[in-house]
């Protein structure tokens, strides 16, 4: 009489687990291959924190303007002030990125964005903020962003090897979507609990992370 296999035998489960770990591990290694480079890991971490903070500020900024004026036109002006420099300066910024140290450009523009966020935090928490303040500061951030984007995108070449460059570009693109997902969600909680000024303060702190990294 043949005995049935013991259902508690760990060998089949171990083989399945080993197979699963092997397949998942290989996929994970391929997906995050560029993260094997230390400089890219630092860059990736700093940019992730910074982008979450930027989207937090963007959400809180719109809420603040509407609370101050209840004007859709003012909301449009703030968005216009932030995007117009990107439209006008991106081509020239690309030339700068080719001729000037990209790391220096990123550090400078992130420092400008940090000062902008500190100013917005200060005037909001002190209660003196007006719509025109937000418009001017949005324009300053737009200028910094317009100069920083080409330098940041081309910075990948300096961080990873040629064979890992496509993966680095893909991961860098994913940062934007992650920030756009997490930033407004976290920002909404902070606005409801503490007000817009604290969102701006958290964004200012997030720039410290990317500058440090």
């Amino acid at each position: 009489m043949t005995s049935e296999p013991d259902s508690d035998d760990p060998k089949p489960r171990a083989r399945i687990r080993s197979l699963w770990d092997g397949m998942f591990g290989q996929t994970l290694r391929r997906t995050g291959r560029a993260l094997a480079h230390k400089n890219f890991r630092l860059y990736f971490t700093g940019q992730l924190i910074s982008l979450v903070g930027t989207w937090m500020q963007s959400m809180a900024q719109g809420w603040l303007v509407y609370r101050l004026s209840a004007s859709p036109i003012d909301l449009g002006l703030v968005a216009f002030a932030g995007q117009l420099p990107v439209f006008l300066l991106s081509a020239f910024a690309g030339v700068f990125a080719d001729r000037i140290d990209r790391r220096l450009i990123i550090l400078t523009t992130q420092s400008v964005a940090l000062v902008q966020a500190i100013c917005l935090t200060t005037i909001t928490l002190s209660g003196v903020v007006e719509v025109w303040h937000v418009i001017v500061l949005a324009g300053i951030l737009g200028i910094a962003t317009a100069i920083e984007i080409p330098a940041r995108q081309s910075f990948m070449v300096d961080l990873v090897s040629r064979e890992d460059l496509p993966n680095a570009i893909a991961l860098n693109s994913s940062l934007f979507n992650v920030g756009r997902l997490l930033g407004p969600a976290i920002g909404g909680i902070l606005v409801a609990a503490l007000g817009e000024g604290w969102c701006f303060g958290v964004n200012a702190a997030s720039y410290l992370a990317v500058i440090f990294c």
Side-chain angles (χ1 to χ4, degrees):
M1 182 174 180
T2 304
S3 59
E4 295 183 358
D6 187 359
S7 61
D8 294 330
D9 185 2
K11 291 182 179 180
R13 292 197 299 271
R15 286 196 294 267
I16 294 173
R17 186 181 301 111
S18 177
L19 179 63
W20 171 258
D21 290 344
M23 295 174 58
F24 182 75
Q26 291 178 7
T27 302
L28 185 61
R29 283 192 294 271
R30 288 196 299 267
T31 302
R33 190 173 58 197
L35 294 172
H37 300 269
K38 178 182 177 181
N39 285 335
F40 184 77
R41 288 200 304 272
L42 289 171
Y43 167 86
F44 186 89
T45 302
Q47 284 292 332
L48 176 60
I49 297 172
S50 178
L51 284 171
V52 170
T54 298
W55 280 102
M56 288 175 59
Q57 174 167 305
S58 178
M59 184 281 304
Q61 186 174 264
W63 182 264
L64 173 64
V65 170
Y66 193 76
R67 180 172 65 81
L68 291 175
S69 68
S71 171
I73 294 178
D74 287 339
L75 281 174
L77 287 174
V78 171
F80 181 76
Q83 294 301 318
L84 182 63
V86 178
F87 175 75
L88 296 177
L89 299 178
S90 292
F92 302 101
V95 176
F96 293 148
D98 289 336
R99 298 185 178 183
I100 302 175
D101 181 15
R102 300 182 185 100
R103 179 174 174 273
L104 178 61
I105 293 175
I106 294 173
L107 285 174
T108 302
T109 53
Q110 292 291 309
S111 298
V112 171
L114 168 62
V115 173
Q116 181 265 358
I118 291 174
C119 291
L120 192 54
T121 302
T122 303
I123 61 177
T124 302
L125 291 179
S126 63
V128 300
V129 64
E130 297 181 15
V131 173
W132 72 267
H133 295 148
V134 182
I135 294 174
V136 170
L137 289 171
I140 293 173
L141 180 60
I143 294 172
T145 301
I147 297 172
E148 188 252 357
I149 287 176
R152 172 162 48 87
Q153 291 176 341
S154 58
F155 196 45
M156 299 297 99
V157 179
D158 301 326
L159 297 177
V160 300
S161 60
R162 181 179 294 272
E163 57 269 20
D164 290 338
L165 185 58
N167 182 248
I169 293 173
L171 289 174
N172 185 57
S173 299
S174 71
L175 286 175
F176 182 84
N177 293 323
V178 173
R180 184 168 57 180
L181 175 68
L182 296 180
I186 299 173
I189 295 172
L190 277 180
V191 168
L194 301 172
E196 304 92 350
W198 288 101
C199 278
F200 305 144
V202 171
N203 182 44
S206 74
Y207 288 118
L208 292 175
V210 71
I211 290 171
F212 174 78
C213 288

